[in-house]
Amino acid sequence: MKILEGKTALIFGVANNRSIAWGITQAFHEQGAMIGLSYAGEILERRVRPLAESIGCTFVEPCDVSQDEQIQQVAEKAKEAFGEIDILVHSIGFANRDELSGPYYNTSREGFHLAMDISVYSFTALAKAFQPLFRPGGAMVTLTYNGGERVSPNYNVMGVAKAALESSMRYLAYDFGPQEVRVNAISAGPIRTLAAAGVSGFKTMYRKFSEVAPLHQNITPADVGQVAVFLCSDMAAKTTGQVVFVDSGYNIMGITEPIEKILSD
Ligand code: NAD
Ligand code: 0WE
């Protein structure tokens, strides 16, 4: 029995085959969901179309989430194509690269606004645009990172944005409750995606992570996909407003050195 059979999911944030959103798409497809994909711009279209084809997905629409008209347009197209929808996945984040290093206080006003607009407001804007299309029993999921709850050096304005994203997720959970639509966030450990490429110190952090985390394993988009399936399925019917960690248990730790090293000192 496929647990998303009969459900339609719209997924925002596939850039390439390493994207977390693509891991979620594949997991949804395996569980029988009908999929619609959206991509950020023409440069990405050429990456996303073949991926969509590989799972027989024919709904592939552009949507730069900084543009209200594009959000409205993709909602209209979805209404034409599917009528109603059950699932919306928001896997989008962006800040100026130069604001993801150095002291947080160097964040510019413009850079702050940009990170908030693309990484936070876009989820609220999508929720508003798709609100009339949601069937009862539906679910939304967004992607967050522990740097929104604790200090992760260099994550800077993205950390502040993730804190706001998690809070808006809770307000949306409240708003959509009466409509029987659930809203949750997945807090993923570090994954080597396009958004992580070129982040200074990412490689070291990635390695350290698996040394410190209780499960001693790094996270894959497929791991996130499985949890997204659960959260968007009827199995999670009474779970809303939550941040669910997919991080090998990293967030429970109170030390940042590998325990084996400490014990042998
Ligand atoms: P990714 O680069 O594959 O995905 C980021 C997506 O954001 C891309 O598809 C990009 O096109 C999209 N995007 C950026 N600006 C946009 C705009 N204006 N309009 C529409 N789309 C836009 O990287 P990813 O790691 O899969 O990131 C997905 C989400 O997961 C992000 O919210 C990120 O913060 C979060 N996350 C990532 C990690 C990690 O370590 N990679 C860990 C936890 C959470
Ligand atoms: O959310 C993210 C990625 C955020 C991100 C990354 C970039 C790099 C390229 C947002 N915007 C941009 N803009 C660019 O131009 N992660 C959780 C991955 C990540 O990013 C970090 C991390 C981790 C982990 C940045 C600094 C420190 C740690």
Side-chain angles (χ1 to χ4, degrees):
M1 171 64 187
K2 296 183 174 181
I3 66 177
L4 297 181
E5 198 90 65
K7 292 195 193 274
T8 299
L10 280 186
I11 298 169
F12 293 80
V14 177
N16 58 34
N17 62 347
R18 305 172 79 134
S19 293
I20 295 173
W22 180 241
I24 294 173
T25 302
Q26 288 176 298
F28 282 10
H29 175 68
E30 277 164 26
Q31 291 302 331
M34 171 107 81
I35 311 275
L37 294 180
S38 155
Y39 58 90
E42 273 168 39
I43 310 144
L44 290 177
E45 180 171 11
R46 130 184 110 75
R47 294 230 175 275
V48 177
R49 286 226 176 255
L51 291 173
E53 244 166 64
S54 75
I55 58 158
C57 157
T58 54
F59 187 95
V60 187
E61 294 293 331
C63 182
D64 176 341
V65 294
S66 69
Q67 307 298 318
D68 287 329
E69 318 79 67
Q70 294 195 25
I71 292 177
Q72 210 36 60
Q73 217 160 58
V74 73
E76 278 162 26
K77 288 256 169 81
K79 191 182 169 150
E80 280 170 31
F82 303 119
E84 293 179 301
I85 70 161
D86 304 281
I87 298 168
L88 187 151
V89 175
H90 173 271
S91 185
I92 291 171
F94 189 79
N96 288 324
R97 180 183 289 273
D98 60 0
E99 300 192 296
L100 297 175
S101 64
Y104 165 67
Y105 61 66
N106 279 344
T107 306
S108 67
R109 192 181 296 274
E110 202 187 21
F112 189 94
H113 286 158
L114 177 72
M116 285 291 177
D117 187 27
I118 307 300
S119 314
V120 185
Y121 181 71
S122 63
F123 187 44
T124 302
L126 288 173
K128 181 179 168 71
F130 285 90
Q131 183 273 328
L133 272 61
F134 263 100
R135 256 192 288 269
M140 291 180 234
V141 168
T142 188
L143 269 296
T144 187
Y145 178 62
N146 198 215
E149 291 183 33
R150 298 178 203 282
V151 173
S152 181
N154 294 330
Y155 199 57
N156 295 358
V157 69
M158 275 307 297
V160 175
K162 290 304 190 189
L165 177 68
E166 290 174 22
S167 187
S168 44
M169 175 276 292
R170 288 185 285 270
Y171 278 87
L172 291 170
Y174 174 76
D175 287 346
F176 278 81
Q179 197 181 331
E180 213 189 313
V181 172
R182 299 172 299 99
V183 188
N184 294 288
I186 294 175
S187 186
I191 303 177
R192 296 171 103 160
T193 61
L194 191 61
V199 164
S200 64
F202 186 85
K203 234 181 172 169
T204 312
M205 210 183 113
Y206 186 83
R207 198 183 56 241
K208 272 268 171 191
F209 178 90
S210 64
E211 289 174 9
V212 172
L215 292 173
H216 296 293
Q217 283 181 304
N218 279 106
I219 309 307
T220 66
D223 294 326
V224 177
Q226 296 308 312
V227 173
V229 165
F230 163 68
L231 284 175
C232 296
S233 77
D234 299 339
M235 289 167 75
K238 300 290 154 63
T239 298
T240 195
Q242 302 304 303
V243 177
V244 177
F245 282 85
V246 180
D247 70 341
S248 291
Y250 182 91
N251 77 94
I252 69 169
M253 299 304 292
I255 56 157
T256 53
E257 283 301 305
I259 188 69
E260 293 76 10
K261 192 167 164 247
I262 290 169
L263 293 176
S264 67
D265 277 346

